[in-house]
Amino acid sequence: MTKLNKALMATTAIAFASGLALPAVAQDPSAAPGVVKSSNKMKLRLYGQVTRGFGVINDGETSTFKQFRNGNTSTRMGIDGRGKVTKDVSLRTRVEYEIRNGSANQFDGQGTDDGGLVIRHLDAIFSHKRLGAVWIGRGDTAANGTSEKNLLPGGSAGRLGGSTHTLLTDAVILSKASGTAQPAEVDTLSRFFNSFDGLSRRQRIRYDTPTIAGFKIGASAIDQQSWDVAGHYAGSFGGIKIAAGVGFSHAAGALGRSATVQDFNQLNGSVSVLTPFGLGATMSGGKQWLDTNAGAVDRTPYNINPSIFYTGKWTEIGPTGIEYSFQRSGDISQDGDKGTGHSVQITQVLANTGTDTFVGFRYFDVERNGTDPDNLWFVGAGFRARF
């Protein structure tokens, strides 16, 4: 563990412990002890979430029970600071890191400790009521989130293709050739799927317009001469709710994607619709155009992920949803790769505690030239508990 990670853990642990020690009547974060107050004018808030998945993974050879980190939405913790510069201008600071623990690799021992910290946000955000916001530091690019529009309550905690990776990020695909005694490992499941959700989180300067009639436009200047632009919409017509996003990204030097890729352009987006009757649908997709080095195989990776769902509040604890989702990705890691996924799941929101839960079944069928991969399925559950 690096000195930075140790320092972050120690500092946040002290701050969190001090926050828990506050009396119940202390509603204003600025009234907390100095360890959680940066100045007399900035209000601090500790926030985060704990996420887990668990269940049985069958790789075509054996069935294994696993508890693992959620590949769709990670365990994380952050410190959010907000204050006023003038009547119209505000300043927000944000420090957030991801806590990794528990691989979905079915061959890892159950006691394996693969924990670590990854910085997600390290931002200063200046906002003007009429002119928009400027983001400086590490964090979401303008197009991040444009593939993840979803009006199913609690759905992102366990969606089939709602993030760059699948829920079972590290699960291993096997192939048992005829006449061999032991199956060979083909690759991890996430190497066959990708939602192309913008350029994720990067070192960047970003600008967002104010939201006007539900629309917002943003653009980012990213390290290594990369950039992206995006549009977001949230609104309703005649009781029908709509959330949509579209992004275009240019990545120079492939941002570390592959030694054979020089750069790429990417188009992605999603739209989700929810009717007053609780019936809804979501569609997301994306495509990349790769500029490869001489001699490398040209690829145009793609993804499509439609789903249908029904949601309603049938108990006092919160909304319940039922969803079927399909995903098809191609040429993600190698030319000719194909990945097909099916998911049926029930989500339950525990509204009073900010917790999303899900239980469901997933089935994956992948293809790779020169191999005959086994199918992989999972039956299990998971949760996202936010604070």
Side-chain angles (χ1 to χ4, degrees), residues 10-22 35-36 46-47 77 79 387:
T11 301
T12 309
I14 292 171
F16 185 51
S18 300
L20 290 177
L22 292 177
V35 72
V36 292
L46 291 168
Y47 69 94
M77 188 169 181
I79 303 173
F387 60 86

Side-chain angles (χ1 to χ4, degrees), residues 104-124:
N105 185 323
Q106 63 269 38
F107 301 111
D108 285 347
Q110 296 287 29
T112 300
D113 182 7
D114 63 342
L117 300 180
V118 176
I119 296 295
R120 289 171 53 85
H121 296 273
L122 199 61
D123 254 332

